[in-house]
Each structure stands twice: as structure tokens, then as C-alpha cells.
Amino acid sequence: MTGTANANGAAVRFQRDGFLFPLTAMAPGEADSYRRRIDAFRAANPTGRPFREVVKSKSHLLCRAILEIVRRPGILDVVEDVLGPDILLWSTGLFLKEAHDPAYVSWHQDVRYWGLEPHDIVTAWLALTPATIESGAMRFVPGSHAGGLLEHLDTRAEHNMLARGQVVQEPVDEEAAVDVLLKPGQYSLHHGRLVHGSAPNRSPEPRYGVAIRYIAAHVRPTRTGDSALVVRGRDRHGHFGSDRIPSGDYEPWALELSAEVHKFASGH
Ligand code: NI
């Protein structure tokens, strides 16, 4: 438990806006060393599948560097303030936009296709390189988590990084949207129903972000066979199977699971 006045203030802002940023997970130099480890992990990709797909879901089971990031106590302290003491890690995606990459993310709510109820779900999005307007930082629509689920249309548009190219059908108040500008080592936290998206990377450098999906232990999967990893507190509910903890990169069981998860195409 943290329970400081400052932390409680953060929880109140999170409830109101549906997000918090910028938060600091590590110094820029440490973020850069993670980025270099992930580059080495990428160079070793044995799957024959495009790297961007390999690391879209549950990448912490394939990559030790990402597993270290998702278990960092400083991040979990803030997540605990908004989700409570019992926290599972459901998935982790590495969002990589190459230099001058047309890839973008349309306006969407994360939980629309995830098959998880209730929506006590947050994403911590950690920048390993600068998230700027030029590099295609995320944009958040304040308060958009407060209603229910919105209708989405599956466009399957080229260059859309979402599995279905899904986009919110109701009008999005783009004027109100805020740019989530982050330095390497900083992160944002956003609610599972928050409407958000991001533009292409127009910068000459690649943009790396790790999206970490944390859920409260009482959340239930609506499909069978879903799994997660306890990262803080206890799981008194047992709604999920237990993900194994890898001791190295690209372990055979993790590759098998990763290919299975990919078939779900559960997306973003
Ligand atoms: Ni998203």
C-alpha cells in the first residue's frame, strides 16, 4: 500500500480524466539500455513472423527485458492506487513505429474486444524513445472512459496497427484531445475504456513504447482458457490460468503460447 495524499490525488484525477501522465519509471539512460536489449531480442527473432506481430500480445513471456519492466515496483505502486492491491498482468505489447512509418492507431477503446469484465483495467504505456507530436505520440480524450462501451467499425485499413482497424463510430471530440508527450523512461496510465489513438511517426528515428495491460484480480475473462500473471498481492478469484515465468528469451512454450494468442487477434 502506498496511500499517500499525493497518490490519492492521482487516483482522483485518474477517475475523473481516465488517465495520468507524465509518470516516471526510470532514468533516460536505463530506458535506452532496455531499448538496446529489445533491439538485440528483435535481431534474434526465430519465429519467421514479422517482429511487430510477435510482440503484440504477451511479449513479456518471450522477452526477459519486457518481463523486468512490467514487474517494476514503482509502476505497480501507481497501478495499485487505481486498481487496488491485487493486480494481474494480462498482456504486454511492444508498439514499434519505424522512422517515417505510416503506421497509426485509429480512435478506439482498448477493452472493446478484449473479453474482460468488469473494466477495472489500465494500460501503462512506457516510452523507450521520445513520444512527441512528430513521432506519433498517443492522444487521449479526457473523460471518455466515463460512459459505456462505444460502437466500433472494423475497417481493416492498411497501416492501422489495430488487429481489426477498429474505429469508434460516435463523433470524437478531437479538440479536447491531449497529446501524451513522454520522455524516455516516462509513462502514462490510461483506463481500458478511454478513447485514444496515435498518428504516424514522421520523425527520422524509430519510436518504441511498451503497453502493459494490468487488471484487478476480480476481472473475469468472457472466453475460456485465458491466462494472466500475478504481479502484486494475491489472486483470490482464480478466473485466469497462470502464465509461466520465462527464464530466457523465446522459450519454446512461450513461442507456442504467443502463436495461439496471435490467432485470437485480440488486437491492441
Ligand atoms: Ni489502445
Side-chain angles (χ1 to χ4, degrees):
M1 295 288 283
T2 51
T4 64
N6 190 33
N8 290 338
V12 168
R13 272 187 291 132
F14 184 85
Q15 297 305 333
R16 183 193 64 199
D17 297 334
F19 60 82
L20 292 172
F21 79 91
L23 301 155
T24 299
M26 62 186 76
E30 195 175 4
D32 195 54
S33 75
Y34 275 118
R35 182 247 164 108
R36 278 184 273 115
R37 284 173 67 188
I38 287 171
D39 277 338
F41 171 79
R42 178 186 191 173
N45 176 13
T47 64
R49 291 191 283 134
F51 184 68
R52 195 133 82 180
E53 287 174 22
V54 172
V55 292
K56 207 168 201 176
S57 303
K58 290 195 185 281
S59 59
H60 58 288
L61 301 182
L62 290 171
C63 178
R64 284 288 304 187
I66 294 177
L67 182 70
E68 281 175 29
I69 291 170
V70 304
R71 298 164 111 186
R72 289 179 76 95
I75 297 176
L76 289 168
D77 286 346
V78 181
V79 173
E80 180 174 345
D81 286 330
V82 299
L83 287 186
D86 297 323
I87 303 168
L88 309 183
L89 173 68
W90 180 64
S91 189
T92 309
L94 176 66
F95 279 81
L96 170 60
K97 289 176 181 166
E98 306 288 4
H100 305 295
D101 191 337
Y104 69 99
V105 176
S106 50
W107 293 114
H108 69 286
Q109 294 173 306
D110 288 336
V111 297
R112 179 64 182 80
Y113 292 93
W114 283 1
L116 299 172
E117 299 277 348
H119 299 148
D120 295 317
I121 299 165
V122 302
T123 292
W125 198 102
L126 172 71
L128 296 181
T129 60
T132 63
I133 290 173
E134 193 188 19
S135 73
M138 281 195 295
R139 306 188 75 208
F140 290 159
V141 180
S144 54
H145 67 301
L149 281 180
L150 302 171
E151 285 302 317
H152 288 58
L153 177 73
D154 294 354
T155 68
R156 300 189 189 271
E158 197 188 0
H159 302 311
N160 192 325
M161 294 176 89
L162 301 183
R164 299 170 176 80
Q166 63 266 31
V167 59
V168 166
Q169 279 307 278
E170 277 118 289
V172 171
D173 186 1
E174 300 203 20
E175 294 281 300
V178 297
D179 296 303
V180 188
L181 306 181
L182 299 170
K183 296 175 183 144
Q186 291 186 327
Y187 66 105
S188 57
L189 216 61
H190 70 264
H191 188 281
R193 282 196 311 266
L194 188 78
V195 174
H196 62 288
S198 70
N201 179 7
R202 291 175 283 105
S203 84
E205 300 292 333
R207 193 223 56 173
Y208 287 64
V210 182
I212 312 166
R213 321 302 191 172
Y214 296 108
I215 63 179
H218 61 258
V219 170
R220 295 176 312 277
T222 59
R223 60 172 173 251
T224 55
D226 209 346
S227 59
L229 184 68
V230 179
V231 285
R232 177 156 289 188
R234 290 196 295 154
D235 179 7
R236 298 172 178 83
H237 302 271
H239 295 318
F240 292 84
S242 297
D243 280 331
R244 284 168 66 177
I245 294 174
S247 49
D249 290 348
Y250 296 118
E251 294 192 335
W253 62 268
L255 283 168
E256 237 169 78
L257 183 66
S258 161
E260 275 303 305
V261 169
H262 186 66
K263 275 187 220 156
F264 280 131
S266 61
H268 181 218

